[in-house]
Amino acid sequence: MTLEGNGQGVKLTKKDFVSDQEVRWCPGCGDYAILAQMQKVLPELGIPREKFVFVSGIGCSSRFPYYMNTYGFHGIHGRAPAIATGIKVCNPDLSVWVVTGDGDGLSIGGNHLLHVMRRNVDIKIVLFNNRIYGLTKGQYSPTSEFGKKTKSSPMGTVEAPVNPICLALAAEATFVARSVDRHTDHLAYVLERAARHKGVAFVEVFQNCNIFNDGAFEPFAGRPVKDDRMVVLEHGKPLIFGKNHDKGIRWNGTTLEVVTLGNGITESDLLVHDEKRPDPALAFLLARMDYPEYPVPVGVFRAVEKPTYDELVNAQIETAIAERGRGDLEKLLRSGDLWVIE
Amino acid sequence: MTEQTSTLTTIEPEARPQIVELETVTVRFAGDSGDGIQLTGTLFTNVTALVGNDLGTFPDYPAEIRAPAGTLPGVSAYQICFSSQDVRTPGDQPDVLVAFNPAALKVHLPDLPEGGMILVNVDAFTEYNLKKAGYTSNPLEDGSLAKYRVYKIPMTTATLNALREIDLPAKDKERCKNFWALGLVYWLFDRPLEPTLRWIETRFRKNPAIAQANATALRAGYAYGDAAEMFTVHYRVRRAQIAPGVYRKITGNEALALGLIAASQLAGRPLFYASYPITPASDILHELAVHKNFGVRTFQAEDEIAAMCAAIGAAFAGYLGATGTSGPGMCLKSEAINLAVMVELPVVICDIQRAGPSTGMPTKTEQGDLLQALFGRNSESPVAVVAPATPADCFFMAIEAFRIAIKYMTPVILLSDGYLANGAEPWRLPSVEELPKIEIRFRTDPNGFFPYLRDPETLARPWAIPGTPGLEHRIGGLEKQHITGNVSYDPKNHELMVKLRAEKIARIADDIPPLEVFGEPEGKVLVVGWGSTYGAITSAVEHWQKKGASVSSIHLRYLNPFPHNLGEILHRFEKILVPELNLGQLALLLRGRYLVDAIPFSKVQGRPFKISEIIDRIGELL
């Protein structure tokens, strides 16, 4: 993908990406933090503003494009990946983003999400996961924990939740990452990594819905506990966590286990994160780690290079033209068996 | 054409078979779906086109890939009507039935007129096959075919004998019997073998033994006709007197695909065609996928919804976005079509209609989606709707659909059907210069730009594509404020936008040709048709006109909006008959819009109208 500027060399700032629309999320919503980080990261990429397109589905998160002063498309429920595919294939020069939520992306849009990831269309998907339906006022979502009591599940849900990272890895998305709305620096880092990835980038953001599911991530992402209950994945580094850097993740031959450093266990015994492994199996094991048994991982699970769908589609066009010459309509109409009536 | 239908008369035997001139002949090939019937019919059609006859075809095959061999549901058929006169349909009844097995005979015999010719493969009339077809006795021997002219031909044995020298398994040799039969029918109707021999050579280039076997079988079938002294005559149908020009044979789906490519070339923008495979629309995807050197991007989407959405995305990005499907796929697309209505982007949606609600009868034809095209979406959701009248007309209407879509920034639905899609006719090739121009004006000037500013004449909003500096804007499915495009819940604004969207579509009527009446401009009976019924209606109307009856017809290729002069024409006739392959959908629209007593004439059998059916119904009104 080549993203060339408009030649004016104007340095963009966060303000350039703020639209004139009033932001109408509930006060205190985690969406504000994600919007702020996006508006902070995009000017850093050296891509002119007119080359950004934000596509969304339906839900609170999907109002996102209105607040970005870029091209935007607020589509229909769950279908943003399909709209984005059309845009990207026809204009590979654009930086195309899909903003979606756990309901939009994983429920009604689950099919499209799967296919856009396995095709490796060069688009960036940011999935706001608040584990609840916000816009429709508080029903359980595909990521709500088993037994969750909501308006539509007064006795608790009897559905197993989907783990978005596992799903993305199963689809063999080439870039898979997770962050948290309140961990602003980390979020900015992950968004920037996603933006610079060539291929599909899937980013799950734990996002707090302070109206219908307040504090859903507090047990592990809350400020006082996060160091002990979350682990940051960094390429080439051992998986260490804890306030005192005294805990780690070890591969014991059959599974991952949490260990405390000392008593003969050293850093060299720990699993070293390799985001570039072609095989997503280990990343999948990491993605299955969940509180309270394990620390919850954030960071880049997987970042591998593969040809992108849009690149391959357009390369076939070029090949066809090189082999057969640019199509000639007159000739095309005259192909097949012809006869002449005098 | 009833009165044109020939009677293949028997002439007293002479030493050499005589050639008898005929005007119009209808031949139907029928056999197992594994017998290569569609291929046989297609090859016969190609040669018939090459010798200059006018023609119409009707492939009729089961939905199952391979229904159990020898059973009634497994019968596949292909009918062709060819003539030295104008042909508008594949013929009401076959003059000749080529039946490869008992099941084929049983299914198709009821359509054969008395005195009709039957060529049967007698080898297939085994006890086992007869039983499978539900015969209790052999119709070739029990006298039940007395009123027909039956030719019992050992096609399988003759094929195997002819291929004795070729080193192939017996099973492969037996499969060549369709070429043997084709050779015989070529002899019977005096067709040249060369074009088919050339075709065999190209098609089986990688398998010379099969090529040789098929070619030999074809020649052997031909020679059998000449030598067997079974036939006392054979037949010749002269070249049709048709307009001078260069011709090719074309099916509706081929023409539609070429039309989409032509639109893209005329507009100077690439085509993006997104589709999910569905009968009978898939051939459009197949055809487009091979023309990548025209810049055509085909996207086989994960479902119908994704296909429609991707086409919208392509349109947003400045491509010619199109999708194709059939009825059940249209249902899935409806939500996204409504999105296209709201965001006002040009997308062409081709609905190749088939029979029945839900999955219905996938390989059979119907015109049941007219009301769906017009109204099958929530709220007030006007879209332009066009419908080609013949297979070749699919080419022009595809271009027309894009011309309208781009000029008015609107989705356009093109209603074809299974009958047009698979049916073929000779097509006089247009020159590229005579095709309509499609002008695209992307907005590039940021000064005074608003996404929902409208052209005062067409009411189209600007097409401003991502990547254009200074035009950054947001569109979507929520109601928007007039001009600015910002989300708006203002009640009066909503009403204004609903009316603007309706008015925009209504104004397309200023931009389409007025209807031409076939026949006198006023009178007793006016027959009103749309889509694929054109051929049968026109021939039936012509029948009555020749008899001096006061019957005229009009044919609608634009269904939303209707042409301006439709109401005026309707009011000039005493009776209005509307033949449709549905329960009266156009009739309902005409009654509602023009307050006329439109009389529906319905047929919903998964089959097209016969000319005679319409002739009879008109007769009742006269």
Side-chain angles (χ1 to χ4, degrees):
Chain A
M1 180 175 71
T2 53
L3 294 169
E4 284 160 14
N6 51 15
Q8 294 162 0
V10 181
K11 175 98 178 86
L12 297 169
T13 66
K14 182 172 180 175
K15 259 166 94 180
D16 291 308
F17 287 92
V18 177
S19 82
D20 59 356
Q21 299 296 297
E22 188 194 336
V23 183
R24 292 201 186 162
W25 285 315
C26 307
C29 175
D31 290 359
Y32 285 96
I34 307 174
L35 177 65
Q37 292 317 307
M38 188 69 82
Q39 288 168 337
K40 193 184 118 189
V41 165
L42 297 194
E44 304 297 319
L45 299 172
I47 299 170
R49 192 178 61 187
E50 68 271 12
K51 301 245 172 183
F52 287 102
V53 186
F54 279 82
V55 188
S56 66
I58 299 296
C60 296
S61 62
S62 290
R63 299 298 178 98
F64 198 92
Y66 292 122
Y67 309 137
M68 296 293 296
N69 190 14
T70 62
Y71 283 93
F73 201 131
H74 182 223
I76 41 178
H77 209 3
R79 322 297 178 198
I83 297 170
T85 300
I87 295 171
K88 184 66 187 180
V89 169
C90 295
N91 194 342
D93 214 26
L94 298 171
S95 175
V96 181
W97 292 70
V98 164
V99 176
T100 183
D102 42 320
D104 188 59
L106 297 168
S107 192
I108 187 166
N111 184 29
H112 309 301
L113 192 63
L114 166 72
H115 291 282
V116 81
M117 290 195 293
R118 61 121 180 140
R119 289 188 184 113
N120 198 30
V121 184
D122 184 17
I123 64 169
K124 318 302 150 203
I125 304 159
V126 186
L127 182 135
F128 296 15
N129 182 8
N130 55 21
R131 296 186 175 167
I132 200 78
Y133 279 14
L135 199 68
T136 50
K137 300 196 162 94
Q139 301 85 2
Y140 66 92
S141 95
T143 54
S144 294
E145 57 274 27
F146 184 88
K148 174 114 184 151
K149 287 187 178 171
T150 69
K151 277 183 191 159
S152 57
S153 57
M155 294 173 71
T157 92
V158 290
E159 296 181 23
V162 63
N163 177 330
I165 299 289
C166 288
L167 187 91
L169 289 167
E172 306 215 4
T174 51
F175 182 95
V176 180
R178 176 194 276 158
S179 192
V180 185
D181 54 2
R182 288 169 56 190
H183 303 179
T184 49
D185 288 351
H186 187 262
L187 176 59
Y189 163 76
V190 166
L191 290 177
E192 187 175 342
R193 287 282 314 271
R196 294 188 190 281
H197 175 72
K198 184 175 151 292
V200 73
F202 177 82
V203 178
E204 177 192 24
V205 183
F206 288 144
Q207 174 259 328
N208 190 45
C209 173
N210 60 326
I211 305 295
F212 295 109
N213 201 16
D214 195 24
F217 306 102
E218 281 302 294
F220 55 88
R223 205 144 302 221
V225 295
K226 76 178 173 70
D227 291 341
D228 283 318
R229 297 179 183 175
M230 296 189 89
V231 56
V232 181
L233 306 174
E234 290 179 276
H235 180 65
K237 294 191 180 166
L239 271 68
I240 295 181
F241 66 104
K243 259 198 189 78
N244 307 317
H245 294 272
D246 58 346
K247 282 180 273 196
I249 303 294
R250 184 171 72 173
W251 173 248
N252 73 5
T254 53
T255 182
L256 299 175
E257 63 176 357
V258 178
V259 293
T260 306
L261 296 174
N263 294 327
I265 298 176
T266 66
E267 261 191 44
S268 63
D269 294 314
L270 301 182
L271 184 68
V272 175
H273 183 51
D274 178 6
E275 64 185 28
K276 296 187 189 334
R277 279 177 71 103
D279 166 10
L282 192 56
F284 189 82
L285 281 182
L286 290 172
R288 285 185 52 82
M289 295 201 304
D290 203 2
Y291 177 76
E293 207 186 339
Y294 291 100
V296 176
V298 290
V300 178
F301 289 77
R302 183 171 204 245
V304 298
E305 289 257 327
K306 267 190 194 170
T308 68
Y309 176 81
D310 36 297
E311 195 173 70
L312 294 170
V313 167
N314 287 292
Q316 285 195 345
I317 302 291
E318 295 309 315
T319 306
I321 292 170
E323 284 175 359
R324 288 183 270 162
R326 204 166 282 281
D328 176 337
L329 183 59
E330 197 85 51
K331 264 195 211 151
L332 177 65
L333 299 185
R334 277 163 172 67
S335 57
D337 288 333
L338 304 180
W339 68 97
V340 178
I341 305 283
E342 303 288 343
Chain B
M1 279 151 274
T2 313
E3 73 270 56
Q4 283 182 6
T5 302
S6 66
T7 314
L8 303 178
T9 47
T10 313
I11 291 178
E12 286 306 307
E14 287 182 35
R16 292 289 300 163
Q18 298 245 314
I19 287 200
V20 173
E21 294 252 351
L22 294 174
E23 188 181 276
T24 303
V25 179
T26 299
V27 177
R28 184 182 294 178
F29 298 93
D32 246 345
S33 44
D35 280 340
I37 298 300
Q38 299 305 318
L39 175 64
T40 309
T42 303
L43 290 171
F44 187 79
T45 302
N46 291 349
V47 169
T48 299
L50 282 174
V51 302
N53 295 145
D54 199 4
L55 63 91
T57 71
F58 181 54
D60 185 18
Y61 51 91
E64 295 78 13
I65 302 298
R66 288 280 184 273
T71 60
L72 301 179
V75 174
S76 172
Y78 189 105
Q79 180 162 312
I80 170 172
C81 173
F82 53 102
S83 176
S84 57
Q85 301 296 314
D86 218 6
V87 171
R88 298 194 191 94
T89 76
D92 279 6
Q93 310 171 294
D95 302 304
V96 180
L97 172 65
V98 183
F100 282 88
N101 65 11
L105 179 68
K106 186 157 201 188
V107 169
H108 292 287
L109 192 66
D111 291 341
L112 204 66
E114 207 165 306
M117 184 187 272
I118 304 173
L119 309 182
V120 288
N121 178 13
V122 72
D123 292 333
F125 281 68
T126 60
E127 206 172 311
Y128 180 69
N129 282 347
L130 287 164
K131 203 173 151 199
K132 256 212 257 186
Y135 278 115
T136 46
S137 68
N138 189 343
L140 302 182
E141 286 156 13
D142 64 9
S144 62
L145 302 177
K147 50 182 188 166
Y148 309 100
R149 286 178 301 133
V150 184
Y151 294 89
K152 297 180 242 180
I153 306 165
M155 296 183 190
T156 312
T157 320
T159 305
L160 290 174
N161 286 342
L163 304 184
R164 204 177 295 139
E165 304 297 318
I166 296 173
D167 185 25
L168 272 178
K171 206 159 183 209
D172 287 357
K173 288 184 185 174
E174 208 182 307
R175 284 167 57 94
C176 298
K177 68 175 180 298
N178 62 328
F179 278 93
W180 192 94
L182 188 61
L184 176 61
V185 181
Y186 280 5
W187 176 84
L188 197 57
F189 292 103
D190 195 34
R191 298 324 35 200
L193 296 180
E194 287 70 31
T196 309
L197 291 170
R198 274 202 307 276
W199 181 91
I200 291 172
E201 208 178 292
T202 318
R203 172 69 182 75
F204 300 105
R205 192 181 294 131
K206 287 184 183 153
N207 204 333
I210 298 282
Q212 198 199 344
N214 283 329
T216 308
L218 184 77
R219 286 201 180 93
Y222 193 94
Y224 183 92
D226 223 2
E229 294 185 3
M230 183 174 246
F231 301 95
T232 51
V233 290
H234 59 155
Y235 305 95
R236 179 175 296 155
V237 175
R238 284 187 177 274
R239 260 172 192 283
Q241 291 301 311
I242 35 187
V246 179
Y247 282 78
R248 69 180 277 188
K249 183 209 76 171
I250 198 139
T251 68
N253 274 350
E254 282 166 358
L256 185 46
L258 295 185
L260 295 174
I261 293 173
S264 142
Q265 296 285 303
L266 294 167
R269 294 295 298 165
L271 174 70
F272 177 89
Y273 182 82
S275 181
Y276 186 77
I278 184 169
T279 303
S282 301
D283 286 338
I284 302 168
L285 175 63
H286 307 162
E287 178 71 22
L288 289 171
V290 298
H291 295 304
K292 294 194 201 301
N293 62 327
F294 283 83
V296 177
R297 274 82 170 161
T298 51
F299 175 54
Q300 184 175 313
E302 58 270 23
D303 63 26
E304 298 283 2
I305 302 169
M308 183 63 210
C309 285
I312 292 172
F316 186 51
Y319 271 41
L320 266 58
T323 185
T325 187
S326 189
M330 278 299 279
C331 294
L332 284 165
K333 288 186 199 296
S334 56
E335 182 202 23
I337 297 172
N338 233 358
L339 175 65
V341 169
M342 282 301 262
V343 295
E344 302 187 43
L345 281 169
V347 184
V348 169
I349 304 118
C350 307
D351 177 5
I352 318 303
Q353 301 162 92
R354 65 192 215 185
S358 188
T359 11
M361 301 197 289
T363 58
K364 308 297 173 189
T365 201
E366 200 167 282
Q367 296 181 309
D369 298 351
L370 176 58
L371 295 181
Q372 177 180 226
L374 262 74
F375 307 118
R377 293 169 298 282
N378 61 295
S379 186
E380 295 288 345
S381 175
V383 298
V385 180
V386 300
T390 70
D393 194 35
C394 292
F395 175 80
F396 296 101
M397 291 319 271
I399 298 174
E400 189 63 351
F402 260 123
R403 185 189 69 84
I404 293 170
I406 291 167
K407 185 166 176 184
Y408 293 86
M409 292 292 282
T410 176
V412 176
I413 294 174
L414 183 152
L415 289 175
S416 176
D417 61 34
Y419 176 64
L420 288 179
N422 296 320
E425 67 173 342
W427 178 36
R428 192 176 70 85
L429 296 178
S431 74
V432 170
E433 291 82 60
E434 72 193 54
L435 299 176
K437 297 284 161 279
I438 298 181
E439 194 192 349
I440 291 188
R441 276 177 298 175
F442 290 132
R443 173 84 188 210
T444 52
D445 183 6
N447 284 324
F449 167 74
F450 288 103
Y452 282 81
L453 204 60
R454 287 174 193 279
D455 179 297
E457 188 203 334
T458 61
L459 298 181
R461 73 173 192 89
W463 198 356
I465 61 175
T468 316
L471 299 186
E472 292 86 352
H473 66 282
R474 275 67 58 190
I475 57 173
L478 291 172
E479 184 59 285
K480 54 265 304 156
Q481 190 179 43
H482 180 42
I483 299 174
T484 70
N486 291 330
V487 174
S488 169
Y489 284 74
D490 176 60
K492 294 279 187 201
N493 175 74
H494 172 54
E495 191 164 84
L496 172 68
M497 291 302 276
V498 167
K499 287 181 173 169
L500 276 173
R501 288 188 287 264
E503 172 65 14
K504 182 174 79 161
I505 300 303
R507 286 192 187 182
I508 297 170
D510 300 340
D511 201 10
I512 60 176
L515 284 164
E516 284 173 25
V517 181
F518 177 66
E520 294 300 318
E522 58 186 13
K524 188 149 192 196
V525 176
L526 179 72
V527 186
V528 185
W530 69 279
S532 69
T533 51
Y534 171 77
I537 290 174
T538 310
S539 296
V541 167
E542 196 176 51
H543 166 97
W544 284 111
Q545 287 173 349
K546 278 183 182 164
K547 289 191 181 311
S550 174
V551 181
S552 300
S553 65
I554 50 174
H555 202 76
L556 292 161
R557 293 155 83 224
Y558 298 86
L559 290 149
N560 197 39
F562 285 133
H564 280 311
N565 62 341
L566 173 57
E568 177 203 327
I569 295 171
L570 293 173
H571 286 105
R572 291 202 300 252
F573 289 83
E574 286 171 37
K575 290 177 178 171
I576 293 157
L577 181 69
V578 190
E580 288 181 90
L581 302 174
N582 59 45
L583 290 182
Q585 300 191 8
L586 176 62
L588 178 74
L589 293 172
L590 297 180
R591 283 170 163 260
R593 186 73 58 86
Y594 300 103
L595 303 179
V596 291
D597 183 22
I599 305 163
F601 176 39
S602 292
K603 179 173 179 179
V604 274
Q605 301 168 8
R607 291 169 155 242
F609 278 113
K610 288 181 179 174
I611 299 165
S612 58
E613 290 168 334
I614 301 178
I615 288 174
D616 292 350
R617 187 68 188 90
I618 295 172
E620 288 166 19
L621 293 180
L622 283 169

